[in-house]
Amino acid sequence: QTVQMSRNGRWLLDAGFPNFSARLIDIDSGVETTLPPHNPLHPVNAVADDGTLLTSTPDDPNAVTLITPTAQTKLPLPEKILSAAILPNGQKLYALTKTTLYQLNPLQELYKSETPLIGFSPSATGNEILVHNGRQVILITPNQTTQIHESPEPILELLLTPNGQTAF
C-alpha cells in the first residue's frame, strides 16, 4: 500500500516507503502536498476523488486520520486497523480490523467474522462491499450478507467494480 490513486485518476498518494514521508500529488496540476508523518509500521492509506485522505496515525495503530483541505479528524477503533477505504465522493469511510469491518462515519459495525479477515472492497456508492478471509468472499449489501464464493486457493486481494456488479 505504498501508492494509492483516487478512482478518478486525479490524485496520487505516495506513502514514501521506506521513509514514510508521504506526498499527495494532484496529477492535473502537478502540485505536491507533503503530509503529516504516519505510522511506519502500519501504513493505511486511502484517497477520494476530491483529494480527501484517510491515513494511519503515528501514535495509534487503532485509529486513522481523515484529512480534508480544512480539517484533520482522528477516528479511533477498539482494535488495530489493517486497511481503510474512502468512497470516491469522500462521504463514507471504512476500516477493517482483524475480525470486523466498520463504517467510520457514523461508527457502526458492518460485518463481524469468527475467522481473521484479510481485505475488503466497497463499490463507488458503498451499497455493496466485498470482504474476505483468504478463502471465502462475502457480499454485504444494505439488506443482507451473503457468501458468494469459496476458493480452494488462498485469496490475497479482491476488487469490486465501482457499480458493484463484478468482483475480481
Side-chain angles (χ1 to χ4, degrees), residues 12-110:
L12 179 68
L13 177 63
D14 175 0
F17 185 82
N19 62 8
F20 300 97
S21 176
R23 299 174 301 142
L24 180 66
I25 303 162
D26 181 339
I27 301 295
D28 290 351
S29 68
V31 172
E32 294 184 18
T33 304
T34 301
L35 302 172
H38 58 274
N39 190 335
L41 299 176
H42 177 54
V44 171
N45 299 299
V47 59
D49 284 353
D50 65 355
T52 299
L53 294 173
L54 194 57
T55 188
S56 57
T57 61
D59 59 337
D60 187 355
N62 295 9
V64 289
T65 300
L66 178 66
I67 302 172
T68 66
T70 58
Q72 290 189 23
T73 307
K74 186 175 178 178
L75 304 166
L77 285 177
E79 57 186 313
K80 182 179 177 181
I81 297 169
L82 302 177
S83 62
I86 187 169
L87 293 187
N89 64 11
Q91 298 302 309
K92 289 185 182 178
L93 315 170
Y94 302 97
L96 185 74
T97 66
K98 185 176 181 179
T99 60
T100 309
L101 175 66
Y102 292 94
Q103 181 175 316
L104 299 176
N105 58 334
L107 182 60
Q108 65 182 25
E109 189 178 288
L110 297 178

Side-chain angles (χ1 to χ4, degrees), residues 111-123:
Y111 180 75
K112 182 93 171 161
S113 175
E114 293 186 15
T115 58
L117 297 171
I118 305 294
F120 76 105
S121 179
S123 67

